[in-house]
Amino acid sequence: MVQSCPEASPAKWHLAHTAWFFESFILKEFLPGYQLFDTDFPWLFNSYYQSFSQFPEKRLRASFSRPGLDKILGYRQHVDAQVNALFERNPEPEALKRIELGVNHEEQHQELLLTDILHAFFTNPMRPAYQPEPERAALRKVTESGSLRFVEFEGGLREAGCAGEEFCFDNELPRHRVWLQPYALASRLVTCAEFAGFIAEGGYSRPELWLSAGWDAVRSNGWQAPLYWARQGDGAWNVFTLRGELPLSTVAPVPVSHVSYFEADAYARWAGKRLATEFEWEAAAEGQPVEGNLLDSGRLMPARVDGSAVSSIQNQGPAQQFGDCWEWTASAYLGYPGFKPLAGSLGEYNGKFMSGQMVLRGGSCVTPAAHIRSSYRNFFTPETRWQFSGIRLAS
Ligand SMILES: [Fe+2]
């Protein structure tokens, strides 16, 4: 039941809420005679669907000492059994679409479970490791991540948004045309070593590098480094990961993670570059295989680009587009032309957040591989740092 910051949720809450989604939007509507597991659960585990029911304030989720874990696990078993019962009744196409949405929703919470555990363990004074540290030998084999190159793209008239028959969220539609000027994307993500250079050159104390709201965030939050970086007595940095606390020297070639949009933007300005728009990113990623350091790799932290990837990108697109870190883009999170949210309460899933947030692309080392695609749009407010969010430069 630990909730170490208002944005995060307790693990037990994630387990209950993902079952709640199936109960509320599928079983109640499509399984005749469905009996609620508990009459309090529909409002207790509602996250943010105002038109569905009232719900507790998000920051209070740590106070849910009851219901206990056994009851939550029983809830999940009940919902699973009832979804199976629904399958046996040859459900209508809308029910099947909702089940697919429920599965994708649960995949999003699989990622949040890990980002929230990382934050919880960071705030724990013992700084426990979620998984054993990776072999130092594997981390140290290459201390360089390959020199940063820029891969050029012609731009022109392109299409953005989900094109295929496979599942996508409403915010990836409709597919539409976009015009791109010629542009270039960095061949890999910005590394911890490179970001340490920004810190060493006074990046966090130079207002000229920051957006106005970013500079306010630096001062009001006292930011001096990415979230999870801690300066040691000798001035060296340690970086806390799901594999425990690692010296910066060990993760130097690994992509920097847990930076806000403001930090990504300031870094790009310091480097004389910029962040890509979401459409530039998508045009480069479309058609590329969804391969990379995703949850399925089991690594649970970003990884350096290996030597073979660096040489192979001479003739291909940029490396690390999928996995490692979500990439902040310079695009505000808005509806595409003709955007239509889902009908009913599910219309609140994505559409109502289209104000004050920025788009991130590509998934991270804790995103399930089956969950991500080139048209996928993640979004967070620009000061958000507890997600695996990193930086790709563009020009
Ligand atoms: Fe949710």
Coordinates of all heavy atoms in Angstrom, one line a residue, residues 13 17 47-49 105 109, ligand 1:
W13 N -3.3 -1.2 -5.2 CA -4.3 -0.5 -5.9 C -4.3 -0.8 -7.4 O -5.4 -1.0 -8.1 CB -4.1 1.0 -5.7 CG -5.2 1.9 -6.4 CD1 -6.4 2.3 -5.8 CD2 -5.2 2.3 -7.7 NE1 -7.1 3.0 -6.7 CE2 -6.4 3.0 -7.9 CE3 -4.3 2.2 -8.8 CZ2 -6.8 3.6 -9.1 CZ3 -4.7 2.8 -10.0 CH2 -5.9 3.5 -10.2
H17 N -7.5 -2.0 -9.4 CA -8.1 -1.1 -10.4 C -8.2 -1.7 -11.8 O -9.1 -1.5 -12.6 CB -7.2 0.2 -10.5 CG -7.4 1.1 -11.7 ND1 -8.5 1.8 -11.8 CD2 -6.7 1.3 -12.8 CE1 -8.5 2.5 -13.0 NE2 -7.3 2.1 -13.6
S47 N -10.5 5.3 -11.1 CA -9.3 6.2 -11.1 C -9.7 7.7 -11.3 O -9.4 8.5 -10.5 CB -8.3 5.8 -12.1 OG -9.0 5.6 -13.4
Y48 N -10.4 7.9 -12.5 CA -10.7 9.3 -12.8 C -11.9 9.5 -13.7 O -12.0 10.5 -14.3 CB -9.4 9.9 -13.5 CG -8.9 9.3 -14.7 CD1 -9.6 9.1 -15.9 CD2 -7.5 8.8 -14.7 CE1 -9.1 8.5 -17.0 CE2 -7.0 8.2 -15.8 CZ -7.8 8.0 -17.0 OH -7.2 7.4 -18.1
Y49 N -12.8 8.5 -13.8 CA -13.9 8.6 -14.7 C -15.1 9.3 -14.0 O -15.9 8.6 -13.3 CB -14.3 7.1 -15.2 CG -13.2 6.5 -16.0 CD1 -12.1 5.9 -15.4 CD2 -13.2 6.7 -17.4 CE1 -11.1 5.3 -16.2 CE2 -12.2 6.1 -18.2 CZ -11.1 5.5 -17.5 OH -10.1 4.9 -18.3
H105 N -5.2 -1.6 -21.2 CA -5.2 -0.8 -20.0 C -4.3 -1.5 -18.9 O -3.5 -0.9 -18.3 CB -6.6 -0.7 -19.5 CG -6.8 0.0 -18.2 ND1 -7.1 -0.7 -17.1 CD2 -6.6 1.2 -17.8 CE1 -7.1 0.1 -16.0 NE2 -6.8 1.3 -16.4
H109 N -0.8 -0.4 -16.8 CA -0.6 -0.5 -15.4 C 0.6 -1.4 -15.0 O 1.2 -1.2 -13.9 CB -1.9 -0.9 -14.6 CG -2.8 0.3 -14.5 ND1 -2.7 1.2 -13.5 CD2 -3.8 0.7 -15.3 CE1 -3.6 2.1 -13.7 NE2 -4.3 1.9 -14.8
Ligands
FE1 FE -6.2 3.0 -15.2

